[in-house]
Structure formats: C-alpha cells, structure tokens
Amino acid sequence: GINAEYGDAMLSLPLNSVTTLSSAERLLSEKIPDLTMRQFVLTNLESKKGENGKSSYQWRIPLATLRKFLPDLAKNPLTVSNSCSDSKNIFFIGGERSHYLKSEYHEEVKKYFPNAKIQMLERAGHWPHFENFPHFYSCVLDFLRE
C-alpha cells in the first residue's frame, strides 16, 4: 500500500529530471531516507522509450488517484454483520514492526474473519513481502499446502 508520506515523496519526484533509476533514487533520498524503502518505491517507476529514442520515466500506478483517495482507502468498510464468518482460507501476513497489524489488533481482525490465520514475520514492517521475502514466501507456500 501507499501511505501519505511515500505518496507525497513519489509525487514530488521531478520525472522530467529522472534519466536513470539511480538518479531517481538520489532525488528521493531526502524524502525517503531508508534505502530499502526507496528501492521498494522505485519498483513502481518504469522507463518508456519515446519516438526520439530517449527514455522517460513514469509511475506504473495511478499515483495521484491513490494519494487523493488514501483517506477513503484507509477506512474499514466492514461490520460484524458483513464479516467473512464462513470463509475458511484467509491468511493475514504482517511484519512484527508494522503499525497496521499489531498483535493487539488481532482480536479485532478475528471479529471480521473468525477463521483467519495471522502470521507475523520477524525483521519486517508493513511490507513483509519485500522486507523478509524468504520467510514470506515460505509462509505462503505452507498456507497453500494446508
């Protein structure tokens, strides 16, 4: 997901000044100081060759739209009455350092998804699939084999 801080940083990137991914990484370094997070954010940047043969960069995702509707995306539309009580195969994977799926929230998650399995990964925050891919991959495979 996109959060306001990263979305604003991405929107502020002067794409017309970006000539390589390295230049984009340098330009984002002040607003996103963590190298791992910058690299993750930059997976959303793509190069397009123009008719003149020169490359230009653009975001793969509808960044301005996502940023505009971020407050709506952050809301919880579920109620206990429209929960997924009959669903059996729901798997939440979070990072132990995440502020979004803290252990104290697990009981609330279980209200809406009573049969859910929740796995918290070490050495990961909000993006466990990026921050601890080997453990994430292993957990997903184990879940799919169940």
Side-chain angles (χ1 to χ4, degrees), residues 2 19 22-23 45 85 92 117 121 126:
I2 180 176
T19 56
S22 295
S23 68
L45 193 63
S85 60
F92 287 85
K117 177 180 176 182
L121 303 188
H126 183 57

Side-chain angles (χ1 to χ4, degrees), residues 97-110:
R97 297 187 314 249
S98 174
H99 300 291
Y100 298 97
L101 189 59
K102 294 180 178 181
S103 59
E104 58 262 30
Y105 302 157
H106 292 188
E107 188 175 318
E108 185 75 10
V109 169
K110 292 285 191 166

Side-chain angles (χ1 to χ4, degrees), residues 67-80:
R67 180 61 185 96
K68 178 180 176 183
F69 291 103
L70 188 60
D72 294 326
L73 293 170
K75 292 178 186 171
N76 177 5
L78 293 176
T79 63
V80 174

